[in-house]
């Protein structure tokens, strides 16, 4: 589904005509886009918007909102993903168009439950707050008008006339500050929160609100409009979901992993079996560290643990022969007969490397897959410790990992607030003694790679010499970087085709 020739001509109109479509770097998204776009662009815009909002969430938890560090990192993320963020930049039409269309695409994906709606609204509000905070003062009035907000900046004469009353009603606003501060005259009903807190001057049914306080009112208006819009979108969703091209993407977009797949193609043979014990302490995320510890102690893992840990080890560089040797040595220590292992377990390892069955090259599980699917039961060790562990048990684990009491408190607070990946990111910073890890954690293998870069002085882990192996056919690699397969990779990230593989992993004897 491509743009018609007429549409393309319209989009290539120059200067003022193009910019008039999106006069500001921020908006209330009052009008949905009406142009036709290709399915590939639809997918790409959706994925990029999800990445942006997840970054907004992570930064909002990791830093104090509004601080210089928070502002700088969020601006960098907007620039990297090519979304609009500042006024008066050259050729802002395309970033603003991307912002507009991608917002409405995610409305379709995030209107499907109350939890998704709350998350989407919060991230969009934080994004609007950031953009408004860097909006030039001479552009604010135009933005308010375009957003259909009846907020009007009063003249200097009116401000002087009411100077004493405004200062008396507004905390932390002195006479010298008032001279530099814009004051907005808005309907009383829009300033009820300020009125309840006795923080605003009222006169003749209008509130006189300083610029520093108007942000909260704008965000409340945005929340109300977006909440209503999502409810309306949810009603019409069945018609959209009837399109078989869009339905899989929209259903899985909210919990799909969109980053690097960490296949073994570039990592094969980078570690030896002798290194795993030490690496598990220095560079494994807690989810894999607890699986390795349980395997060493019990000489066995149930199928959920074998799937999660086996693919992780494959992703950090274990070859097929190393994997077979690693699992066989450990299971034999648990009194398993070698022939039984060869008959009942070696096939599933070969299957996960794409050597059996459909010859699918399975990729390691992302954080989202571990958090959202297959929760552990009694006797299991897989899952995410920050999501699935009892708080007291999690505290004991962190203490055994030599995390400081203050660090443990921070991590537990993040886990309690359901910020599981940010909690793991904080753990990363604690064990590597860095103030800012410089990335948003989305994958256990990402944790390992970033850890190795730090421990090796910015270089990847050195490749260990390995013994000659029996030549094997080249694994079939699923190329998810091809844009045309973006939809397929999104679907497979959470609902991997485990036909065959899970059956073999489920042998627990």
């Amino acid at each position: 589904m491509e743009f018609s020739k007429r549409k393309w001509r319209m989009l290539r109109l120059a200067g003022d005509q193009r910019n008039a479509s999106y006069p500001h770097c921020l908006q209330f998204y009052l009008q949905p886009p009406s142009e036709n776009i290709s399915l590939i662009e639809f997918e790409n815009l959706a994925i990029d918007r999800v990445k942006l909002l997840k970054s907004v969430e992570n930064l909002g938890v990791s830093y104090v909102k509004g601080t210089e560090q928070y502002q700088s990192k969020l601006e960098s993320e907007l620039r990297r993903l090519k979304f609009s963020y500042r006024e008066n930049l050259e050729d802002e039409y395309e970033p603003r168009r991307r912002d507009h269309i991608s917002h409405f695409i995610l409305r379709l994906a995030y209107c499907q439950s109350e939890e998704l709606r709350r998350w989407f609204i919060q991230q969009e509000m934080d994004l609007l707050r950031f953009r408004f905070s860097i909006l030039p003062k001479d552009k604010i009035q135009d933005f308010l008008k375009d957003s259909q907000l009846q907020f009007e900046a009063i003249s200097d004469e009116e401000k002087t006339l009411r100077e004493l009353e405004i200062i008396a009603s507004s905390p932390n606003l002195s006479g010298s500050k008032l001279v530099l501060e814009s004051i907005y005259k808005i309907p009383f009903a829009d300033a009820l929160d300020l009125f309840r807190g006795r923080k605003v001057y009222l006169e003749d049914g209008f509130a006189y609100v300083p610029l520093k306080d108007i942000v909260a009112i704008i965000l409340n208006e945005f929340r109300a409009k977006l909440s209503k819009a999502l409810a309306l979108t949810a009603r019409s969703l069945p018609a959209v979901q009837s399109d078989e091209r869009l339905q899989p993407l929209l259903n899985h977009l909210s919990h799909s992993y969109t980053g690097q797949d960490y296949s073994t193609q570039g990592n094969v043979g980078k570690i030896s079996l002798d290194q795993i014990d030490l690496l598990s302490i220095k560079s494994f995320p807690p989810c894999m560290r607890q699986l390795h510890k349980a395997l060493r102690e019990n000489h066995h893992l149930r199928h959920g643990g074998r799937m999660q840990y086996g693919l992780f080890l494959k992703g950090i560089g274990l070859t097929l022969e190393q994997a077979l040797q690693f699992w066989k040595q450990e299971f034999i220590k648990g009194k398993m007969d070698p022939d039984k292992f060869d008959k009942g377990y070696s096939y599933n390892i070969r299957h996960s490397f794409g050597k059996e069955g459909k010859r699918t090259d399975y990729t390691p599980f992302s954080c989202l897959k571990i958090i959202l699917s297959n929760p552990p039961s009694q006797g299991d060790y897989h899952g995410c410790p920050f999501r699935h562990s009892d708080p007291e048990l999690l505290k004991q684990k962190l203490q055994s990992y030599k995390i400081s009491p203050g660090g443990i408190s921070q991590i537990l607070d993040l886990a309690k607030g359901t910020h599981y990946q940010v909690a793991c990111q904080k753990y990363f910073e604690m064990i590597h003694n860095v103030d800012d890890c410089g990335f948003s954690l989305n994958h256990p293998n990402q944790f390992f790679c970033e850890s190795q870069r730090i421990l090796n002085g910015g270089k990847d882990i050195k490749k260990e010499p390995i013994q000659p192996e029996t030549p094997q056919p080249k694994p079939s690699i699923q190329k998810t970087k091809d844009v045309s397969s973006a939809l397929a990779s999104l679907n497979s990230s959470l609902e991997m085709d485990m036909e065959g593989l899970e059956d073999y992993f489920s042998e627990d004897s």
Side-chain angles (χ1 to χ4, degrees), residues 180-211:
L180 303 174
E181 186 84 351
S182 298
I183 304 296
Y184 290 84
K185 180 181 178 181
I186 70 176
F188 161 70
D190 293 326
L192 290 178
D193 288 342
L194 291 174
F195 172 70
R196 291 190 190 99
R198 299 176 181 271
K199 296 179 180 178
V200 68
Y201 171 62
L202 301 178
E203 181 182 316
D204 296 333
F206 289 93
Y208 290 80
V209 184
L211 175 61

Side-chain angles (χ1 to χ4, degrees), residues 28 141 143-145 147-151 218 221 225:
F28 266 30
Q141 191 63 60
F143 162 70
L144 296 174
K145 181 179 178 181
S147 301
Q148 301 178 12
L149 297 175
Q150 304 303 313
F151 303 167
I218 292 173
E221 290 286 332
K225 292 180 184 296

Side-chain angles (χ1 to χ4, degrees), residues 331-351:
F331 275 42
I332 289 175
K333 290 178 184 177
K335 310 303 181 185
M336 177 177 287
D337 184 84
D339 289 338
K340 183 175 182 180
F341 178 89
D342 291 338
K343 293 177 181 177
Y345 292 91
S346 62
Y347 180 93
N348 65 19
I349 297 171
R350 292 179 57 80
H351 193 288

Side-chain angles (χ1 to χ4, degrees), residues 6-260:
R6 183 183 174 200
K7 291 282 186 182
W8 277 117
R9 286 198 299 271
M10 290 173 63
L11 288 179
R12 281 170 168 72
L13 293 175
D16 294 339
Q17 287 176 289
R18 283 162 56 90
N19 293 334
S21 303
Y22 305 110
H24 306 290
C25 66
L26 71 170
Q27 58 168 306
F28 266 30
Y29 308 102
L30 300 176
Q31 296 296 327
S34 57
E35 63 190 61
N36 295 324
I37 64 172
S38 69
L39 185 60
I40 291 176
E41 185 177 17
F42 184 98
E43 296 168 11
N44 289 338
L45 288 174
I47 292 169
D48 285 347
R49 188 73 175 203
V50 170
K51 289 179 180 178
L52 174 61
L53 295 188
K54 288 188 180 297
S55 294
V56 170
E57 178 187 31
N58 288 340
L59 290 173
V61 175
S62 302
Y63 304 96
V64 177
K65 295 174 185 177
T67 60
E68 183 178 349
Q69 200 171 17
Y70 172 87
Q71 300 282 98
S72 174
K73 288 185 175 293
L74 184 49
E75 183 170 323
S76 297
E77 195 66 18
L78 283 161
R79 191 186 305 116
R80 183 180 71 83
L81 293 171
K82 299 180 181 178
F83 285 111
S84 58
Y85 60 97
R86 282 191 182 275
E87 298 287 300
N88 304 324
L89 296 178
E90 292 185 8
D91 197 18
E92 269 288 278
Y93 173 80
E94 185 58 27
R96 293 178 185 183
R97 172 185 168 274
R98 284 168 51 81
D99 178 71
H100 183 219
I101 296 175
S102 64
H103 169 87
F104 278 91
I105 294 174
L106 258 61
R107 281 192 187 184
L108 295 171
Y110 282 83
C111 70
Q112 302 182 48
S113 73
E114 183 61 33
E115 183 180 2
L116 290 177
R117 287 192 289 270
R118 279 199 303 269
W119 184 88
F120 180 66
I121 290 172
Q122 183 59 58
Q123 310 322 315
E124 289 286 348
M125 286 177 62
D126 286 345
L127 183 58
L128 181 70
R129 180 190 290 110
F130 163 76
R131 285 169 166 164
F132 186 82
S133 71
I134 61 175
L135 187 68
K137 284 191 175 182
D138 61 342
K139 300 286 186 180
I140 291 177
Q141 191 63 60
D142 290 338
F143 162 70
L144 296 174
K145 181 179 178 181
D146 292 339
S147 301
Q148 301 178 12
L149 297 175
Q150 304 303 313
F151 303 167
E152 183 179 351
I154 64 175
S155 64
D156 290 339
E157 290 77 13
E158 287 184 276
K159 187 163 59 173
T160 302
L161 185 63
R162 298 172 175 83
E163 179 178 357
L164 295 178
E165 291 84 355
I166 293 173
I167 292 174
S169 304
S170 304
N172 303 319
L173 187 64
S174 62
S176 58
K177 290 182 179 179
L178 181 62
V179 174
L180 303 174
E181 186 84 351
S182 298
I183 304 296
Y184 290 84
K185 180 181 178 181
I186 70 176
F188 161 70
D190 293 326
L192 290 178
D193 288 342
L194 291 174
F195 172 70
R196 291 190 190 99
R198 299 176 181 271
K199 296 179 180 178
V200 68
Y201 171 62
L202 301 178
E203 181 182 316
D204 296 333
F206 289 93
Y208 290 80
V209 184
L211 175 61
K212 68 181 181 64
D213 293 328
I214 204 173
V215 179
I217 298 174
I218 292 173
L219 291 174
N220 283 339
E221 290 286 332
F222 180 68
R223 179 200 293 272
K225 292 180 184 296
L226 183 53
S227 180
K228 182 178 179 181
L230 288 172
L232 293 173
T233 303
R235 293 183 193 173
S236 59
L237 195 60
V240 178
Q241 290 180 325
S242 64
D243 189 327
E244 62 183 14
R245 300 167 302 172
L246 302 182
Q247 187 263 344
L249 174 65
L250 295 177
N251 281 355
H252 301 300
L253 189 61
S254 61
H255 48 239
S256 291
Y257 173 66
T258 57
Q260 183 178 342

